[in-house]
Amino acid sequence: LLGLTALQANAAPEMPPIPDVQGDVVQADGDFKIKFSIGTTQSGAQYRGLEYFEKIVEQRSDGHIQVELFPGAQLGDDLQAVSALQSGTLEMTAPSTSPLVSMFPKFALFDLPFLFPTPDVADQVLDGDIGQQMLDEASTNGLVAIGWAENGYRQLTNSRQEVTAPEDLEGLKVRTMQNPIHLDIWRTLGANPTPMSFAELFTALEQGVVDGQENPWITIQSSRFNEVQDYATETNHVYTPFITLVSERFWSRLPAEYQQLLRDAAQQMGEYERHVGRSMNDQIKQDLADSGMQITELTPEQVKAFQDKVAPVYDNWRDQIGGELIDQVRAASQ
Ligand code: TK8
């Protein structure tokens, strides 16, 4: 894991302040250290959420648990960080669910295009039975899953031309996450997708290895993709959660009281981080436009053209993901 340089961050935009810590000091035996690694940079909402997590855990353990934060993939990308948790060399990470689909096939639910019509529906699913089932399912293979935050709704950027319709994607080289549904989505839309680790993405865009990529506004901004991408389209094509994971080897050494403290802190971090990310979208779009990026918002008819074109993806993955699960989410959207 050594030898990687942290992805560079820009100056952090204005964000809602970190809340005060609620709750009493938790008494338990032992002193512990948590290294918490994430792929997004220090200027993103995810890092701000981690700062809140650190504050809660350090204050409520009265300093007996120390948290150290490693943003910008400096300890590895999402997949590398997860393996480090499994081998016990890293205590915590919060990856996008998408690269973990090979490990936890049900996570593919989150990769279905246009599944969550609003953030409220995403919250209902993540904070309800389905979200709990998924946390249980991910609590194997040396991992303990203790909460949800979000990366958010994904938007397309590219260096070639404005994109307002699927036809504009013809031949466009788009980097996707390492995930088969995302590959299917971009092939179905007519683009030329290449899966790649997030840690390599900035350089790949800069060197023109790929023409475009897709990520939520906050991640586009905090990763400085506007410096190497002139066009952005607000497609909202997929909603990506972040899942908060702990190394099982570390977890099993913690007293039950501290395990509960981490669960509570993960829950509070998740709520705060979603709030931060969502409250910043308009400001970020404005900042990106001010920096010279062309931001395209789609009309409902234009969105529908993307939805229609990508619809076959549902048929391709329905059996693997489970039709019932998809229907449950659809029901929550009514
Ligand atoms: C950060 C990643 C990233 C994701 C991606 O570690 O790979 O594009 O959206 O934000 O999880």
Side-chain angles (χ1 to χ4, degrees):
L1 290 184
L2 292 177
L4 286 163
T5 36
L7 298 170
Q8 278 185 48
N10 55 10
E14 189 84 36
M15 292 189 199
I18 295 178
D20 289 336
V21 175
Q22 309 290 330
D24 298 334
V25 166
V26 174
Q27 305 287 352
D29 289 334
D31 289 290
F32 301 91
K33 229 173 145 171
I34 295 176
K35 293 191 285 323
F36 196 153
S37 160
I38 51 172
T40 57
T41 73
Q42 203 166 334
S43 58
Q46 188 180 24
Y47 186 75
R48 182 56 82 98
L50 259 61
E51 289 182 309
Y52 184 36
F53 180 87
E54 174 180 28
K55 186 169 151 185
I56 297 168
V57 170
E58 291 185 352
Q59 279 191 29
R60 295 197 60 205
S61 70
D62 199 18
H64 290 288
I65 307 177
Q66 287 296 315
V67 181
E68 208 180 333
L69 308 179
F70 296 90
Q74 57 186 293
L75 297 186
D77 62 26
D78 286 352
L79 280 169
Q80 291 167 326
V82 169
S83 342
L85 257 54
Q86 292 174 310
S87 59
T89 56
L90 178 70
E91 287 74 36
M92 289 186 70
T93 189
S96 293
T97 47
S98 313
L100 307 188
V101 157
S102 51
M103 224 180 268
F104 306 114
K106 286 257 178 323
F107 281 8
L109 175 74
F110 299 117
D111 298 305
L112 288 171
F114 302 105
L115 183 64
F116 297 101
T118 63
D120 283 348
V121 174
D123 286 347
Q124 265 186 59
V125 170
L126 293 177
D127 300 333
D129 288 349
I130 297 176
Q132 189 55 52
Q133 278 169 36
M134 299 264 192
L135 292 180
D136 293 345
E137 179 154 329
S139 297
T140 55
N141 293 344
L143 304 172
V144 182
I146 62 169
W148 298 107
E150 77 176 11
N151 198 346
Y153 285 98
R154 307 182 77 85
Q155 322 297 351
L156 177 71
T157 70
N158 84 94
S159 58
R160 296 208 159 215
Q161 58 165 359
E162 186 185 22
V163 172
T164 59
E167 296 76 64
D168 300 326
L169 297 169
E170 190 70 50
L172 196 77
K173 279 188 258 163
V174 178
R175 174 270 177 178
T176 69
M177 291 187 284
Q178 291 146 304
N179 175 289
I181 296 104
H182 281 255
L183 269 177
D184 193 18
I185 290 173
W186 292 98
R187 277 202 194 108
T188 304
L189 286 171
N192 179 3
T194 310
M196 189 187 291
S197 149
F198 185 72
E200 293 162 26
L201 179 52
F202 185 90
T203 307
L205 292 168
E206 191 175 38
Q207 297 181 348
V209 175
V210 287
D211 305 313
Q213 67 83 43
E214 40 83 61
N215 255 293
W217 288 124
I218 180 78
T219 301
I220 291 168
Q221 202 252 8
S222 63
S223 307
R224 306 180 304 132
F225 291 154
N226 55 311
E227 292 180 16
V228 287
Q229 301 273 273
D230 288 340
Y231 304 93
T233 302
E234 189 164 48
T235 47
N236 289 317
H237 53 276
V238 170
Y239 173 87
T240 309
F242 281 134
I243 186 164
T244 306
L245 299 173
V246 187
S247 163
E248 216 275 319
R249 288 203 189 185
F250 172 71
W251 185 258
S252 61
R253 289 173 35 224
L254 282 179
E257 295 84 355
Y258 282 163
Q259 291 179 346
Q260 190 56 45
L261 170 56
L262 293 195
R263 285 189 192 280
D264 293 346
Q267 169 73 25
Q268 289 169 326
M269 167 178 79
E271 283 167 23
Y272 169 65
E273 190 259 5
R274 288 182 233 176
H275 166 66
V276 173
R278 290 170 195 178
S279 70
M280 291 173 61
N281 282 334
D282 288 342
Q283 184 58 48
I284 289 173
K285 280 195 270 177
Q286 189 58 53
D287 291 349
L288 292 174
D290 291 347
S291 80
M293 200 176 207
Q294 180 174 333
I295 310 289
T296 302
E297 292 174 351
L298 301 175
T299 64
E301 293 73 29
Q302 287 173 323
V303 172
K304 184 148 189 309
F306 282 94
Q307 289 172 335
D308 290 347
K309 180 103 194 221
V310 87
V313 169
Y314 275 82
D315 305 329
N316 300 345
W317 296 94
R318 194 173 167 90
D319 287 349
Q320 182 187 314
I321 296 167
E324 217 174 287
L325 195 55
I326 299 173
D327 294 340
Q328 275 174 29
V329 175
R330 286 262 163 79
S333 317
Q334 298 311 307

